[in-house]
Amino acid sequence: MHDLASVNFLTLAASDVRIPALSVAALYGKGVFTTLAIQNGKPFLWEKHWRRLKENSERLLIDLSDFPETRTREALDELISANLVRDGRGRVTFFDESPGGLWAIDESASKTSLLITTADPRSHAENFRLGVSPFTINSASPLAGVKSSNYLEKIASLATARDGGFDEAIQLNERGEIAAACMANVFWIKDDELFTPALATGCLAGTTREFIIENTAVSEVRTGIDSLHEADEIVLTSAGLGVVQVGEFEGRILKRQPHPITELLRHE
């Protein structure tokens, strides 16, 4: 992470950022966030990220009335400039700092805070190895499809994958359908046709995923893990990773040919 952060439209040292210990954000992880790619000093797909932040906040009853889109975008641009970011990542997080829940002091004291941070691009292995996670996604969960600050399940799933010698892992849902990777959406190619899991599987509606679907032919499907075992190529996408072609899936060597979606994202 870079040295400076933006908190409620004020720029300060990232090391000085705090949230109240008895807030529902700290106690229960109540918040929403998005990670954006920064390209040539500008946030990529900002409108899609903002729309998802608004939708996710409404689902979790987080009040964004003090944070209009225009001013939030200005704060992000200001931080990108202050941290001298040309190509990297930005994260926009809204925390619910209300002192509520089971440890409530004053449930009427509703408060939302905004944190914006930036960092360098995520690095990844040249020969990217993908496994299958033992942890499933519950497509009926109230958090399904929400990019919540309560991200411990994802962190634990990724850590388990790496302990097993993989760079990432595919998560199935409770019906055994392919949903996503721990920290990314998944696409695969079979006989020159591009596929990705449907949102009904419980996968996150990733902004990169949406952009690809809008700009190239993709079949959104509900299918089991055999589809990946039979795939010619597998690709992971996220704002942090960009587009990563998988080199090995469960030990099987895959094709890694330049794919049009890589150029699609690079030249938008």
Side-chain angles (χ1 to χ4, degrees):
M1 187 169 69
H2 296 148
D3 292 339
L4 299 176
S6 177
V7 178
N8 299 332
F9 307 135
L10 297 175
T11 301
L12 69 160
S15 58
D16 291 338
V17 175
R18 303 287 186 273
I19 61 172
L22 293 180
S23 66
V24 288
L27 292 174
Y28 308 113
K30 187 177 179 183
V32 295
F33 77 97
T34 194
T35 301
L36 311 95
I38 299 171
Q39 300 179 356
N40 297 317
K42 301 293 183 183
F44 183 56
L45 301 179
W46 165 255
E47 292 79 10
K48 295 182 184 300
H49 285 279
W50 179 257
R51 186 183 70 242
R52 188 176 65 191
L53 280 168
K54 290 279 288 184
E55 292 171 351
N56 287 182
S57 295
E58 289 170 3
R59 284 182 61 178
L60 297 189
L61 303 179
I62 297 174
D63 181 11
L64 299 190
S65 59
D66 290 334
F67 302 95
E69 177 184 0
T70 301
R71 185 66 189 94
T72 304
R73 170 62 191 269
E74 287 174 353
L76 174 60
D77 288 339
E78 289 166 4
L79 186 66
I80 290 171
S81 177
N83 279 328
L84 304 178
V85 186
R86 177 172 173 78
D87 295 302
R89 293 170 286 157
R91 173 171 163 145
V92 178
T93 307
F94 288 104
F95 293 112
D96 186 341
E97 292 191 357
S98 305
L102 300 176
W103 297 90
I105 298 173
D106 179 4
E107 293 188 0
S108 67
S110 177
K111 180 184 178 184
T112 303
S113 65
L114 166 64
L115 170 65
I116 306 175
T117 52
T118 63
D120 293 335
R122 280 179 61 187
S123 60
H124 58 81
E126 177 64 25
N127 182 38
F128 198 91
R129 302 181 68 211
L130 183 67
V132 178
S133 176
F135 306 119
T136 57
I137 289 174
N138 177 10
S139 66
S141 166
L143 293 181
V146 174
K147 197 146 187 172
S148 161
S149 297
N150 187 343
Y151 226 51
L152 190 56
E153 280 192 7
K154 293 293 189 181
I155 296 293
S157 299
L158 183 61
T160 300
R162 289 178 173 173
D163 286 345
F166 298 105
D167 297 295
E168 250 280 16
I170 292 297
Q171 290 190 275
L172 308 178
N173 64 16
E174 74 278 12
R175 295 181 297 273
E177 299 167 336
I178 302 164
C182 304
M183 298 284 189
N185 289 111
V186 59
F187 291 78
W188 64 94
I189 297 96
K190 178 64 178 177
D191 297 330
D192 295 324
E193 187 173 356
L194 188 61
F195 299 89
T196 198
L199 294 180
T201 62
C203 72
L204 182 73
T207 56
T208 306
R209 174 190 183 275
E210 179 182 332
F211 182 72
I212 291 169
I213 290 172
E214 289 173 347
N215 287 277
T216 193
V218 183
S219 296
E220 297 179 74
V221 297
R222 296 171 63 173
T223 186
I225 196 64
D226 285 350
S227 292
L228 289 185
H229 285 298
E230 297 167 0
D232 299 321
E233 301 173 63
I234 301 174
V235 176
L236 301 186
T237 67
S238 73
L241 279 175
V243 175
V244 174
Q245 292 191 284
V246 175
E248 295 182 27
F249 176 57
E250 298 261 275
R252 180 170 69 94
I253 305 300
L254 296 171
K255 297 178 184 177
R256 283 192 297 167
Q257 302 174 1
H259 196 276
I261 61 177
T262 304
E263 293 302 309
L264 179 69
L265 294 170
R266 183 174 297 150
H267 295 301
E268 159 61 5

